[in-house]
Amino acid sequence: MKHKFIYFALLFLFVFSSCRKDFLNREPLSDISDDTFWTTEEQLTLALNGLYANIKNDNTVAMDQMGDNSINSSTTDNYRMISSGNYGTDWGTVNDEWRNMYAGIRQCNVFLQNYQKATTVTDAKKAQMAGEAKTIRAYLYMDLTLLYGDVPLVTKPLNVDELYGPRNPKKDVVDFILTELQQAADMMQAAPQTGATLGRLSKGAALGLRARMALYDGRWAEAEKSAKAVMDLGVYSLYSTGKPATDYYTLFTYAGKLSAGANKETIMARINLTDVSMHNISRETQVPDQASRYNPTKALVDAYLCTDGLPIDKSPLYKEDTYENIWANRDPRMRMTILAPGGAWGGKKDGNPANTNPLIFTAPKFVADKLGSVTITGYYYTKYVELSTVSQVSKDQNDIHILRLAEILLTYAEAKLEEGTLTQADIDLTINKLRDRVGMKRMSITELAANGLDLRTEIRRERRVELAREGQRWFDMMRWKQGALLGADVKGVKRSLVLSQSQVSNVAVDNDGYVIVQTGRQFVDPKHYHWPVPLVQTQRNPALGQNPGW
């Protein structure tokens, strides 16, 4: 019997001839027959291109707001509500993520079932393509099991009668992911793809995601092994142009795009191109006539060390006597992540009535007047802001970095710590390379001990600040069993430090004078360590069951 499927979201294939443009598109094709489609390299490429639509722009930055680094200005934002614990099984995002990821998995399954039919394509080419498909499928399963725990493990296209099975245990899903990614790595080329296939996956992406999955699941030896394998490929290096004061910031602008040619750090990214695939992240971060969608919290601000390597509650360098001094003598990554007074911005009129230069930020704005960007915490992001596009709606073509070498180095360090084998040499090989890039004081095990600091706490802190706004904070909090932190009120700047006091005169503060942004949060253990299985899915398939507490 001839089977037909509506296959993949694809890129304007008949309009654009560039392969790089092709694999960013999402336009669907009509029905395609299995018997005639899988015969040429062009057809395999067309099908594979569609899988890349599952690597999305918004998930990384938006999902970062589920943790305690950032909060959306909209009280009804889905990720803000999820972070607060005030959501249910019928929540739209809960079902959308489940549905969309399984749709992507089905696309991968169809490809992997049929690609071998292309007998005119070389085995090496088919292996590379299959490795990419396997990596994307594993990437989707990783997010599924991290969000929902036990999930159905489907590795082939299903007919109607096969759609209603139970969930597989999380352990089995993780086992599959790790095996799948190792197989994918063995099938793909080591060198990052270039030219017309720039941004397509290679061996490092599979190994890097494998390291992430192993770390998230507490499989330290596997995490160390895969992270070291990426490091030993010799094809990735930290982004650096010899400018410690700006390199970390620049990585997350157009200058850090893979197509710009200088970025050898990013291993996996969502590539964006003018008028083909774009987003609105820069504008939403410093939107000139509304409230910023992404507001850094006091919890994130307080996480940055002082330049002497000590936390703010231990360092004599920290003086919270003015708004400007919050950034003084701090880890340089802080002002390359959180906008400091004197920094360039696109938010126009700020909270300082005397500031006549709309291109320079001097003070936070708390009251909306459609003349400048408003913050609800007293802080704005500068990381992932391409200033040239803040004034334009949905014209941001900045790449979104899904996986980069910095994460691999942090994974290696943490895995060795948990194995009990971490040495100063390991820290110099990993964390201190990140610190050297920005001119931050190096981490020393002996100095940490002398100052009464916990090594595990500081390695986790390093991960938090290096990867801020990259979508991993909530997942880290869940695996570290720090969910209780999400039940606390969200806070912002100390109200007394706001230049225009009339703007905050009615803003609630805690006993220490810090702005209270959100109350009424909850985190119930074990309930909130996983999302619920979506209501609509359990109605369709009662065999799925439900997660504890839901």
Side-chain angles (χ1 to χ4, degrees):
M1 177 180 179
K2 182 182 292 186
H3 296 289
K4 289 188 176 183
F5 300 96
I6 297 175
Y7 280 115
F8 311 100
L10 300 170
L11 278 184
F12 312 102
L13 180 70
F14 303 111
V15 179
F16 298 103
S17 59
S18 164
C19 289
R20 267 205 297 144
K21 290 181 179 178
D22 286 349
F23 82 85
L24 298 175
N25 193 11
R26 299 187 177 90
E27 292 299 313
L29 295 179
S30 59
D31 288 355
I32 302 173
S33 170
D34 275 346
D35 293 343
T36 60
F37 180 72
W38 305 94
T39 57
T40 68
E41 182 173 336
E42 180 183 13
Q43 289 170 337
L44 287 192
T45 300
L46 175 62
L48 183 62
N49 287 344
L51 304 187
Y52 279 85
N54 294 291
I55 303 173
K56 300 183 184 300
N57 283 315
D58 293 339
N59 281 20
T60 297
V61 175
M63 291 184 77
D64 198 58
Q65 300 194 97
M66 292 199 305
D68 59 350
N69 283 350
S70 180
I71 185 169
N72 197 290
S73 57
S74 171
T75 59
T76 59
D77 174 72
N78 279 327
Y79 292 115
R80 171 169 168 158
M81 297 300 290
I82 290 171
S83 176
S84 73
N86 297 303
Y87 68 109
T89 61
D90 59 345
W91 210 250
T93 296
V94 171
N95 185 57
D96 290 345
E97 291 297 330
W98 177 287
R99 184 187 66 243
N100 292 339
M101 284 188 277
Y102 272 111
I105 287 167
R106 186 180 189 284
Q107 292 172 348
C108 294
N109 289 343
V110 170
F111 181 93
L112 290 167
Q113 179 172 278
N114 289 284
Y115 79 97
Q116 290 284 19
K117 296 177 181 178
T119 55
T120 61
V121 182
T122 66
D123 288 343
K125 185 69 174 180
K126 286 191 289 187
Q128 172 64 38
M129 288 181 161
E132 293 175 45
K134 281 175 168 286
T135 301
I136 293 172
R137 181 169 67 176
Y139 171 69
L140 294 170
Y141 266 121
M142 185 187 310
D143 277 355
L144 271 170
T145 195
L146 290 172
L147 290 172
Y148 302 97
D150 300 345
V151 295
L153 182 57
V154 184
T155 59
K156 64 179 182 178
L158 299 181
N159 61 41
V160 174
D161 296 331
E162 297 173 309
L163 292 176
Y164 297 101
R167 293 187 287 164
N168 295 75
K170 181 177 180 180
K171 179 185 181 301
D172 294 349
V173 179
V174 174
D175 287 344
F176 168 78
I177 292 168
L178 296 179
T179 299
E180 180 92 335
L181 288 170
Q182 186 60 61
Q183 290 176 354
D186 293 341
M187 299 170 79
M188 292 192 289
Q189 66 184 55
Q193 299 200 48
T194 59
T197 58
L198 179 72
R200 293 268 285 264
L201 303 178
S202 58
K203 187 184 296 289
L207 292 172
L209 289 176
R210 190 177 191 278
R212 180 189 287 182
M213 183 73 264
L215 186 78
Y216 279 2
D217 203 54
R219 305 188 190 193
W220 313 122
E222 291 299 318
E224 176 194 342
K225 171 187 170 183
S226 292
K228 191 63 164 60
V230 176
M231 295 158 65
D232 289 345
L233 286 175
V235 296
Y236 301 107
S237 57
L238 294 179
Y239 178 85
S240 176
T241 64
K243 300 176 180 177
T246 58
D247 276 342
Y248 177 82
Y249 165 79
T250 304
L251 174 60
F252 300 94
T253 67
Y254 284 4
K257 285 172 64 69
L258 289 178
S259 60
N263 179 4
K264 306 301 181 186
E265 177 174 348
T266 296
I267 301 169
M268 178 176 176
R270 168 67 193 209
I271 304 296
N272 293 291
L273 298 173
T274 304
D275 296 327
V276 176
S277 173
M278 297 182 290
H279 53 83
N280 204 34
I281 291 171
S282 292
R283 180 173 177 81
E284 290 182 344
T285 302
Q286 295 180 4
V287 58
D289 57 351
Q290 302 171 34
S292 171
R293 307 297 190 270
Y294 306 100
N295 298 262
T297 63
K298 177 181 184 295
L300 175 60
V301 170
D302 288 352
Y304 289 88
L305 297 171
C306 290
T307 51
D308 57 6
L310 297 176
I312 58 173
D313 60 348
K314 287 182 174 288
S315 175
L317 300 177
Y318 184 63
K319 307 294 182 184
E320 195 182 16
D321 51 359
T322 66
Y323 184 72
E324 293 81 358
N325 279 345
I326 295 174
W327 285 263
N329 302 311
R330 303 290 291 276
D331 184 328
R333 285 170 292 190
M334 179 176 170
R335 67 176 54 244
M336 288 185 268
T337 303
I338 301 169
L339 184 65
W345 83 323
K348 295 188 176 179
K349 187 172 179 59
D350 65 10
N352 178 4
N355 181 15
T356 59
N357 186 350
L359 302 180
I360 299 297
F361 170 72
T362 63
K365 186 187 192 76
F366 280 85
V367 176
D369 57 7
K370 295 189 178 297
L371 298 176
S373 187
V374 171
T375 171
I376 61 174
T377 63
Y379 301 109
Y380 304 86
Y381 280 110
T382 190
K383 181 176 177 178
Y384 260 129
V385 173
E386 170 58 45
L387 291 173
S388 66
T389 194
V390 173
S391 62
Q392 306 171 64
V393 178
S394 298
K395 292 293 185 180
D396 194 341
Q397 56 180 294
N398 206 0
D399 290 351
I400 302 299
H401 308 275
I402 307 297
L403 178 69
R404 57 191 180 93
L405 180 61
E407 179 189 338
I408 300 301
L409 300 181
L410 291 164
T411 294
Y412 184 75
E414 184 179 347
K416 295 214 68 175
L417 169 76
E418 298 299 344
E419 287 183 291
T421 61
L422 183 71
T423 65
Q424 184 62 48
D426 294 325
I427 290 178
D428 292 341
L429 182 66
T430 57
I431 289 172
N432 282 337
K433 285 189 175 182
L434 302 178
R435 292 193 175 190
D436 288 346
R437 166 164 57 182
V438 298
M440 175 62 182
K441 179 181 171 62
R442 303 187 112 214
M443 179 183 286
S444 164
I445 294 176
T446 56
E447 287 186 18
L448 292 178
N451 286 295
L453 298 176
D454 176 63
L455 180 57
R456 177 177 286 108
T457 298
E458 295 311 308
I459 285 179
R460 290 178 175 181
R461 182 199 304 274
E462 193 72 20
R463 182 178 177 89
R464 180 179 190 177
V465 301
E466 175 68 28
L467 301 180
R469 219 185 177 201
E470 295 181 48
Q472 299 208 47
R473 177 61 179 164
W474 184 83
F475 298 104
D476 285 339
M477 295 178 76
M478 296 304 99
R479 68 187 179 89
W480 293 333
K481 299 301 179 185
Q482 295 179 346
L485 295 174
L486 294 178
D489 293 348
V490 176
K491 298 178 183 180
V493 70
K494 184 173 284 189
R495 186 171 65 180
S496 62
L497 302 184
V498 176
L499 179 64
S500 182
Q501 284 291 297
S502 63
Q503 293 190 13
V504 291
S505 59
N506 294 322
V507 174
V509 297
D510 67 8
N511 292 335
D512 296 314
Y514 293 98
V515 169
I516 298 176
V517 179
Q518 186 188 30
T519 59
R521 297 169 64 90
Q522 61 172 330
F523 189 93
V524 179
D525 184 356
K527 175 180 178 179
H528 288 121
Y529 275 105
H530 284 117
W531 286 11
V533 179
L535 176 62
V536 66
Q537 302 300 332
T538 58
Q539 288 174 333
R540 293 171 179 168
N541 179 14
L544 290 172
Q546 188 52 273
N547 284 329
W550 292 100

